Amino acid sequence: MCSRFWLVGLLAASFTPCPARGTESLAPSEIMARRRGPEIFNAVSHAMRQWGSSLHHNGMSLFLATVPEGVLLHHGNNGPESPTEPDWLAFEIEHAEHFARGGRGPPPPGGKPPKGGQTVPQFTLGGMERNHHARDPQEDEGNDPHGYLHTYRTSRPLQFLYIDGMGGGKTTMGTLDTQDLLLRGKNSSQEEERPWDRPLSESGPPPRKGGGPMDERQRAEDLCELCRQWDLQGVIRMEAGFEIIKCDFSDGLDEVQALQRPDYTGSQQPGMPGLGSLESIRGISERYQGIGSHRVIIDFGSMVSAFFFPVNLTNSDRKRPDLPRLTSTSQAELAGIKAYLAGVIREQRDQSSPPINWQDISDMIVGRYADRIQYMAEEVGSIDTMAAEVTFLLTLFMDHSTKNPDIGAAIERCSNFYIRSIRPQTEVDRLIREAFGVVTHHICETLFRIREHVVTDPTPDQLSLAASTSALRALMEFLKWTRFKRCPPCGLGEVCTIPMWPMGTVQQYNTPRCTNGTNSEDGDSYWGHRRPGPPGDGPGRRPPRTV
């Protein structure tokens, strides 16, 4: 499948390391923070945001995150009892509702009821009993045929490890690298099972017993063992919605209600949206720009990112140099990053002083420049308009008390405008400040260069305009801001859609589009799996649900 991916021309050099050095001295580096400034800026900007984390889905960063007291969380399963072992919580009702299914489950992808009395997989939010093949009806004897939706309220502030990117996506594209290679210490050469690659009707051996998709059950156990060592409650990740792997449901949660859901009788029930339906995507889209209502507080001063370290993050897939991977990072280097993370957690876990909100600062920078840069790069076609736009952005930083303003000083003022007053509290703050400084300096330097083309030059011409447009497009590629990708205005009965595991197509990645839910899966799967059922089966064409 030949596909043109957005920003595929990104220089792979930004993910390659500085000259090798002994791993015993592996430490975060201001040099690497400057070299990977855009990646660090975007990791901060996209934290706990569905849109940016979906488009930049290979997360390389981890943060301490607190869920305050009184936050509502949801869990779907096939019984009224709360889990007694590590299991999953969803922030959104629609997310958990997908797993509030009984032993007989909902209809399979495509919407058609099972044939011959066969049952379909039981989808619980935790995925402990999943089987991606049709089961013998006798296997469900004794199981409650109903689904239950549980709602919990946090009884005190709970601290988690937030794994950025699409950390809940069970793919081989790199979405699991941070969890499997860095946190769990697995070898990148180990082959993972991909049970959803087979349609439900296809014969073959079942996936690992109790393992869930791509070792998900064991992954949860391993992550919870780490969290117990670090005195954390579990991890926060994202797929098509944000989720928590909660290691102990009896600690810090009060159950508000556990109600039986409607029975499934072979067709989708009215008011019970399926994955990929309009209402399901609408619920997810509400979190495109943030989890909302201060439900998660991120300590940006605790950020530990592979981008900070002089390690090789090159993707071996030459078609996707824009996606960083940990597969070329040595196990010794990964162990060094993990040890550094453990130290940061020990230092920051009980900090009472409020951290610097670097995401707010990133929002100020993106809000100031993103739309104007894109407008000038893609729509401005006259020298006068280009000159007016760039003058508007830069006049603030120029001292016109002299006939020839000092442009170097103006660029410096522009570069430091949003970060000048920041006083770093931690080593991580200093690294983030270095990264932000690189981003703002590149923006300001580019804009002043354009000013030379269309304002300072006494006789600007079409070549001046072309040079300006070229510089702006190069700036957009350098920044890789996901705000540059957007849908046209959608109708009230539509939602702007991008790939969010396990949903989404290549076409939606390249050009986000509005959907009413009936055409959300038209096109080639972005995640590379084969969908069950023939083309034309409607919105059910997706891999089995595997949180």
Side-chain angles (χ1 to χ4, degrees), residues 5-19:
F5 290 97
W6 183 59
L7 293 180
V8 73
L10 174 68
L11 292 177
S14 64
F15 296 142
T16 57
C18 287

Side-chain angles (χ1 to χ4, degrees), residues 108-282:
K112 299 177 181 179
K115 297 180 180 180
Q118 290 181 323
T119 60
V120 296
Q122 176 178 317
F123 293 89
T124 64
L125 195 56
M128 310 315 174
E129 302 85 16
R130 287 190 188 90
N131 186 328
H132 294 279
H133 296 77
R135 301 199 306 263
D136 189 303
Q138 294 179 354
E139 294 181 16
D140 287 311
E141 289 183 3
N143 287 348
D144 192 329
H146 308 294
Y148 289 81
L149 183 63
H150 302 248
T151 297
Y152 300 89
R153 179 187 295 113
T154 53
S155 59
R156 67 174 192 279
L158 302 178
Q159 206 160 29
F160 296 89
L161 182 67
Y162 167 54
I163 300 166
D164 78 339
M166 189 78 69
K170 270 63 74 178
T171 79
T172 57
M173 298 173 71
T175 54
L176 296 170
D177 281 6
T178 304
Q179 293 164 81
D180 289 353
L181 305 183
L182 197 160
L183 295 177
R184 301 175 68 199
K186 297 193 74 176
N187 191 311
S188 61
S189 64
Q190 292 173 315
E191 185 71 21
E192 294 286 7
E193 293 185 16
R194 300 166 64 187
W196 58 81
D197 277 353
R198 279 195 305 270
L200 290 174
S201 60
E202 191 173 305
S203 61
R208 238 174 298 180
K209 183 178 180 181
M214 290 188 77
D215 204 25
E216 180 72 338
R217 175 58 179 162
Q218 189 59 51
R219 180 177 297 110
E221 295 283 1
D222 293 346
L223 293 175
C224 279
E225 177 57 33
L226 267 180
C227 288
R228 282 187 281 269
Q229 296 173 23
W230 293 338
D231 197 22
L232 301 176
Q233 291 284 323
V235 303
I236 299 175
R237 311 184 306 181
M238 190 198 79
E239 48 170 26
F242 284 93
E243 65 185 15
I244 290 174
I245 298 178
K246 183 68 168 69
C247 299
D248 184 354
F249 271 57
S250 68
D251 184 10
L253 295 178
D254 291 332
E255 187 165 65
V256 176
Q257 62 184 35
L259 301 179
Q260 181 182 313
R261 313 313 295 142
D263 291 336
Y264 282 84
T265 57
S267 62
Q268 185 69 49
Q269 297 294 310
M272 297 288 288
L275 185 67
S277 68
L278 173 63
E279 292 308 321
S280 177
I281 299 174
R282 193 193 299 277

Side-chain angles (χ1 to χ4, degrees), residues 373 376 386-387 390 394 443-457 464-465 467-473 475:
I373 289 172
M376 289 189 288
M386 185 72 76
V390 76
L394 299 181
I443 292 170
C444 296
E445 189 176 53
T446 301
L447 292 176
F448 272 98
R449 189 164 69 250
I450 292 168
R451 181 180 179 274
E452 291 180 8
H453 290 314
V454 297
V455 177
T456 306
D457 188 335
S464 305
L465 183 63
S468 299
T469 301
S470 176
L472 287 161
R473 288 175 177 168
L475 176 61

Side-chain angles (χ1 to χ4, degrees), residues 31-94:
I31 293 174
M32 297 311 300
R34 288 191 289 270
R35 185 174 181 177
R36 293 170 175 156
E39 289 78 20
I40 295 167
F41 183 97
N42 289 333
V44 170
S45 181
H46 301 331
M48 292 301 299
R49 291 174 171 174
Q50 185 81 41
W51 184 270
S53 298
S54 297
L55 293 173
H56 291 168
H57 48 73
N58 283 12
M60 294 283 118
S61 307
L62 304 109
F63 308 76
L64 282 175
T66 300
V67 177
E69 180 179 352
V71 172
L72 295 179
L73 300 166
H74 312 279
H75 173 77
N77 65 9
N78 67 331
E81 299 82 14
S82 291
T84 57
E85 56 186 349
D87 216 314
W88 279 249
L89 287 165
F91 282 87
E92 309 308 326
I93 298 168
E94 297 89 350

